[in-house]
């Protein structure tokens, strides 16, 4: 396992000020691998994709009273029926237990999360592999730019185009469709690939609509979904006056 101490320390710092740390980042950015690091310190790890985890946490108070560990990790917690209730009870009734929850979106992404846990959590946005982490992955900056920053892509012996297509399919099925119920993967993937090709450039919704043949309301819905799931970051222009930052094109 490749050590990523920067992120371990960020999580530890988050626990100092709140019982729940929400580790979020785009799919396959390394959330599961980083969370499993804490198993070495005695953390109890749960993969929320498994039906048995939903059954075990159906009574949150009973679960936390009997878990008998200092740290609990809920990986892909949005797969549970009522994840925010589970985290809220853990934070309020069992603050001595440190909780790490992972997911590819914000807590307010969908109706699955009925409470955003204000005051009970600290959010850490796990970004793709950082420049300072490249030596640990045994790659240079050129490889990082050519392959992207997902750990699996960087650890592969060479660039595999099939990985990126499979990633797009998985991203739509497990994040976008699951959270937002979009029914047309063709339109969504067309718009996403359009944005990928324009990375670092100006974005204008009307122009995007004309060039992709997708309606402007759909463009705006897809753009919001991509931001919520950490697939894109909309960068607003810097101005000394706050009004211009809001009005100028991102």
């Amino acid at each position: 396992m490749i050590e990523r101490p920067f992120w371990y320390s960020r999580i530890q710092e988050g626990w100092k000020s709140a019982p729940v740390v929400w580790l979020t980042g785009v799919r396959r950015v390394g959330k599961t691998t980083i969370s499993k690091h804490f198993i070495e310190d005695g953390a109890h790890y749960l993969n929320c994709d498994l039906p048995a985890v939903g059954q075990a946490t159906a009574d949150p108070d009973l679960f936390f009273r009997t878990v008998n560990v200092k740290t609990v990790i809920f990986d892909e917690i949005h797969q549970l029926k009522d994840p925010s209730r589970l985290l809220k009870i853990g934070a309020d009734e069992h603050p001595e237990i440190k909780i790490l929850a992972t997911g590819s979106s914000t807590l307010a992404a969908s109706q699955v999360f009925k409470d955003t846990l204000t005051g009970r959590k600290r959010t850490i946005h796990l970004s793709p592999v950082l420049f300072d982490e490249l030596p640990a992955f045994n790659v240079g900056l050129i490889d990082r730019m050519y392959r992207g920053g997902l750990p699996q892509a960087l650890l592969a012996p060479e660039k595999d185009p099939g990985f990126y297509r499979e990633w797009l399919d998985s991203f739509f099925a497990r994040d976008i469709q699951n959270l937002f119920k979009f029914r047309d993967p063709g339109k969504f993937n067309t718009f996403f690939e359009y944005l990928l090709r324009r990375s670092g450039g100006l974005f204008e919704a009307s122009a995007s609509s004309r060039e992709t043949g997708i309606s402007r309301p759909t463009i705006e819905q897809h753009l919001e979904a991509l931001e919520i799931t950490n697939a894109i970051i909309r960068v607003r222009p810097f101005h000394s006056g706050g009004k211009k930052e809001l009005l100028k094109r991102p």
Side-chain angles (χ1 to χ4, degrees), residues 52-72:
V53 174
Q55 297 170 8
T57 57
D59 184 337
D61 185 54
L62 178 62
F63 169 79
F64 285 112
R65 279 194 286 111
T66 58
V67 72
N68 197 31
V69 293
K70 295 181 179 180
T71 306
V72 179

Side-chain angles (χ1 to χ4, degrees), residues 19-39:
V20 177
V21 169
W22 177 249
L23 182 63
T24 185
V26 73
R27 178 154 298 281
R28 296 195 188 174
V29 77
K31 299 184 296 295
T32 296
T33 303
I34 286 177
S35 65
K36 285 184 175 181
H37 164 81
F38 295 96
I39 296 176

Side-chain angles (χ1 to χ4, degrees), residues 46-202:
L46 298 108
N47 178 359
C48 298
D49 276 324
L50 301 176
V53 174
Q55 297 170 8
T57 57
D59 184 337
D61 185 54
L62 178 62
F63 169 79
F64 285 112
R65 279 194 286 111
T66 58
V67 72
N68 197 31
V69 293
K70 295 181 179 180
T71 306
V72 179
I73 301 166
F74 297 104
D75 196 13
E76 299 284 339
I77 195 171
H78 61 274
Q79 300 293 345
L80 298 181
K81 185 177 181 179
D82 193 353
S84 53
R85 176 170 170 263
L86 174 64
L87 295 177
K88 184 177 180 181
I89 290 175
D92 291 349
E93 303 300 327
H94 304 273
E96 73 283 358
I97 297 178
K98 296 183 291 186
I99 299 172
L100 176 62
T102 78
S104 299
S105 64
T106 64
L107 277 175
S110 76
Q111 295 179 355
V112 174
F113 296 97
K114 300 173 183 178
D115 192 313
T116 58
L117 304 174
T118 302
R120 302 177 179 90
K121 74 176 190 308
R122 292 296 179 268
T123 299
I124 295 175
H125 178 199
L126 178 60
S127 68
V129 174
L130 302 171
F131 177 78
D132 289 344
E133 294 180 303
L134 293 181
F137 284 82
N138 197 31
V139 296
L141 182 59
I142 298 301
D143 275 330
R144 170 65 173 81
M145 296 172 70
Y146 179 57
R147 301 188 190 190
L150 299 180
Q152 185 177 347
L154 289 178
L155 291 171
E158 58 185 21
K159 187 171 182 177
D160 177 14
F163 164 78
Y164 303 95
R165 172 51 56 189
E166 192 274 332
W167 181 91
L168 280 172
D169 293 341
S170 174
F171 172 62
F172 181 84
R174 291 181 55 82
D175 292 331
I176 297 301
Q177 194 172 40
N178 189 31
L179 292 173
F180 304 99
K181 311 303 180 185
F182 294 160
R183 296 184 177 181
D184 192 338
K187 285 184 178 180
F188 177 83
N189 286 334
T190 295
F191 177 60
F192 189 19
E193 290 181 30
Y194 170 85
L195 289 181
L196 291 173
R197 293 174 183 272
R198 295 179 62 86
S199 180
L202 295 177

Side-chain angles (χ1 to χ4, degrees), residues 209-223:
S209 177
R210 290 193 303 270
E211 293 174 10
T212 61
I214 302 172
S215 69
R216 178 163 179 162
T218 300
I219 288 283
E220 292 174 346
Q221 290 174 359
H222 289 176
L223 185 70

